[in-house]
């Protein structure tokens, strides 16, 4: 499991939960539940990192976001 911050929000337009990963530009996932969306985000993070490595790009370190 990756330690990147996930932002989960409901999308009325898409009728699902959308997860974005702020440390990884363009890395997003969705799901019918917040849990499913977060699980799908973990898969997308892995694919994002794999693609970035193949392209010789730097992989950002996870940052900590304190949400109250």
């Amino acid at each position: 499991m990756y330690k990147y911050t996930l932002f989960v929000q409901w999308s009325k337009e898409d009728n699902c939960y959308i997860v974005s990963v702020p440390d990884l530009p363009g890395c997003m996932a969705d799901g019918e539940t917040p849990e499913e969306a977060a699980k799908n985000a973990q898969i997308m993070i892995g694919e994002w990192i794999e693609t970035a490595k193949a392209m010789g790009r730097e992989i950002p370190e996870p940052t900590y976001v304190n949400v109250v």
Side-chain angles (χ1 to χ4, degrees):
M1 178 178 254
Y2 298 99
K3 303 293 183 185
Y4 288 94
T5 298
L6 306 177
F7 287 124
V8 181
Q9 63 185 16
W10 173 253
S11 173
K12 188 174 183 178
E13 180 180 319
D14 298 313
N15 197 36
C16 64
Y17 288 91
I18 305 290
V19 174
S20 60
V21 186
D23 291 327
L24 306 176
C27 187
M28 299 177 78
D30 64 14
E32 291 185 13
T33 65
E35 295 80 12
E36 179 183 5
K39 181 179 176 183
N40 292 340
Q42 290 297 317
I43 295 167
M44 294 310 297
I45 290 169
E47 291 180 9
W48 193 101
I49 291 171
E50 188 177 305
T51 300
K53 284 181 180 178
M55 296 175 75
R57 294 189 177 167
E58 186 175 328
I59 311 301
E61 290 292 322
T63 56
Y64 175 75
V65 175
N66 186 12
V67 179
V68 180

